[in-house]
Structure formats: C-alpha cells, structure tokens
Amino acid sequence: MKERLITSIALIVALLIIGLIDNIYLTGLVIAVIAVVGMYEAKRLFKIDDERVFYFLSFLAVLSIFINPIFIAVVGVLAVSGYVAFYQKDINLVSISLYPFLPLMILFDLYLKTSMGVIGWLIVIIAATDSFAFLIGRNFAKQFFKEGFCATSPNKSWEGVIGGVVRVTLIGSLIGLAFFDFINSFVISFGVSIASVFGDLFESYLKRKANVKDSGNILPGHGGVLDRIDGYLFGAPLMWAIIQAMGA
C-alpha cells in the first residue's frame, strides 16, 4: 500500500510538472517514452516475438515529436500491415500498431490541436470515472442489478459504472465550460467517461487472455504502463474524434 501511494504521488507530481512546463517537445518525448514502454508490454500480452515491428514503431514514436503524429500513426499502421502481408507474418503483429501506438499518437495530436488544459480535463474525466465507479460500486454493488457488469471484469458493478459515469459527466461538463459550450462539454464528458470504462475493460481482457495479473512491473504497486493508461487509450481518441466532428 505504501509503495502504491509513493508511486501515485510521484506520477501526480510528474504530470503537474509536465503540465506547468507545457512544452511541445517535452510532452512529445513523454508520450513517445510511454508508447515505447507500452508497446513493450503489449508484445507480452499479444504474445509477439518479432522485435522488428517493435523497434520500427518505437522509432516512429520518437519521430512523432517532430512530425505530425497522425501522419506517423497512419504510416505505422499501414507499414506494419504491409510488412505482415508481404512476408506472410502472424496477423497479430498488427496489434501493437493499433494498441497502444495509434491511441497515443492521437493523444499527442489532441494536445497539439487543443491545449494542455484540455489534456488536464481528459485526465480528470478518466481518473474520476475510475474513482467514482470504485467508491459507488463498493457501497452499492448488486443492490439494483443482480448481475455484475460483465464476465471480463467481475469486480465491476453496474451501479458503480453507471454512478461513476453520471457523476463524472456532470463534473466534467462544468469543467469543460472553460473550453466549450455546455452541450459540447456534456457530450465530450459523457463519451470519454464511457470510453474509459471500456478501455479499462479491454486491457483486463488482454491480461486474462495472456493469463497475467499486470501488464508489467515498471510502476511499483501499480503494475505496468498499460495498467495506468488503459482508460486513456480509449478516452483520448474519442475526445479527439468528437472535437474534430465539432469542427473546433
């Protein structure tokens, strides 16, 4: 518990420093490092042995600091897919280009197209969804729904998920007024909150399929990088897509 608390404080302090500095190159470097470590962990979950794809995508992740990350993401996915088809490799190799490489490139582009403030809003929505879902679920689980949320994550309850999403949508909508009108703020908060639930669920499914407890052990008390960013890998792309659709 002490180890987990120390790691949490260190991560919060690091995020605050990065947010206050608000430098494109520093933010890009941090996201690139997260991408490299995340893909290394994903190789284990997807049971991928081919190191060439990992090194190629790691190179592209670093390159995204200087070149449009969406362009880098498209090149990465298409190049890996072409490599798999040309050499008749395991189709599973495409997986790490889609998860976590693509979502993290979209996250970086979201930052470039909006602001560090919007990234902070994203963090609040996803962190609060997880926290409220846990707290509400712990106190009201199975009082209104007899079945759990789903077999993939048996510890989640419908009460916790619904309660978390509802509360965070309201809170997020108010915070989002700093960037958008209420309707758009509400839509983004609601969508990102739900997406983060399924981001967490997807990573849980991957770990169950790989028969591991955590995606890695780089973060003492928390597991791996993917264990910490799973909600963002679904939430950030959806926020990016909604903002693009709004024409903002």
Side-chain angles (χ1 to χ4, degrees):
M1 184 66 181
K2 182 180 179 181
E3 193 177 53
R4 183 180 178 86
L5 179 61
I6 292 173
T7 301
S8 296
I9 293 173
L11 289 173
I12 291 171
V13 170
L15 285 173
L16 287 174
I17 292 173
I18 294 166
L20 289 172
I21 294 175
D22 192 10
N23 177 270
I24 291 175
Y25 298 107
L26 175 61
T27 303
L29 177 61
V30 170
I31 292 176
V33 170
I34 291 172
V36 172
V37 178
M39 287 188 292
Y40 183 82
E41 293 177 355
K43 279 169 68 269
R44 176 191 179 203
L45 298 181
F46 290 120
K47 296 180 173 61
I48 292 173
D49 296 322
D50 192 319
E51 297 291 336
R52 283 169 291 190
V53 169
F54 168 70
Y55 288 128
F56 172 68
L57 291 176
S58 295
F59 169 73
L60 289 184
V62 175
L63 201 59
S64 72
I65 301 171
F66 310 100
I67 299 176
N68 184 288
I70 295 301
F71 172 76
I72 290 294
V74 171
V75 169
V77 174
L78 295 182
V80 172
S81 300
Y83 168 75
V84 168
F86 188 85
Y87 291 103
Q88 297 186 344
K89 297 288 185 176
D90 183 358
I91 190 68
N92 213 30
L93 282 173
V94 180
S95 300
I96 62 171
S97 70
L98 299 174
Y99 185 94
F101 178 73
L102 175 61
L104 286 170
M105 293 301 97
I106 294 175
L107 171 62
F108 187 29
D109 193 64
L110 175 66
Y111 163 72
L112 294 175
K113 282 186 168 60
T114 56
S115 66
M116 187 61 79
V118 170
I119 299 302
W121 180 31
L122 172 74
I123 291 173
V124 169
I125 292 172
I126 294 176
T129 297
D130 187 56
S131 298
F132 278 123
F134 173 76
L135 292 173
I136 295 172
R138 186 175 65 177
N139 292 292
F140 298 101
K142 296 187 178 180
Q143 292 193 18
F144 301 98
F145 299 90
K146 292 183 180 180
E147 301 295 328
F149 184 61
C150 70
T152 302
S153 189
N155 292 327
K156 285 188 185 298
S157 66
W158 278 102
E159 290 85 352
V161 171
I162 293 173
V165 169
V166 169
R167 288 199 176 193
V168 171
T169 298
L170 295 176
I171 295 171
S173 297
L174 295 177
I175 296 174
L177 291 176
F179 314 104
F180 302 101
D181 61 47
F182 182 77
I183 297 298
N184 287 326
S185 178
F186 179 89
V187 170
I188 291 171
S189 299
F190 178 68
V192 170
S193 183
I194 291 179
S196 72
V197 172
F198 284 93
D200 177 74
L201 195 66
F202 181 73
E203 210 245 341
S204 294
Y205 177 70
L206 290 182
K207 290 189 291 187
R208 283 182 175 275
K209 294 287 286 185
N211 196 30
V212 296
K213 181 179 182 294
D214 298 312
S215 64
N217 55 15
I218 195 172
L219 300 173
H222 288 263
V225 164
L226 292 180
D227 294 315
R228 289 297 89 212
I229 67 170
D230 49 11
Y232 301 91
L233 295 179
F234 275 42
L238 184 61
M239 176 180 275
W240 178 91
I242 294 174
I243 292 175
Q244 293 299 305
M246 285 163 32

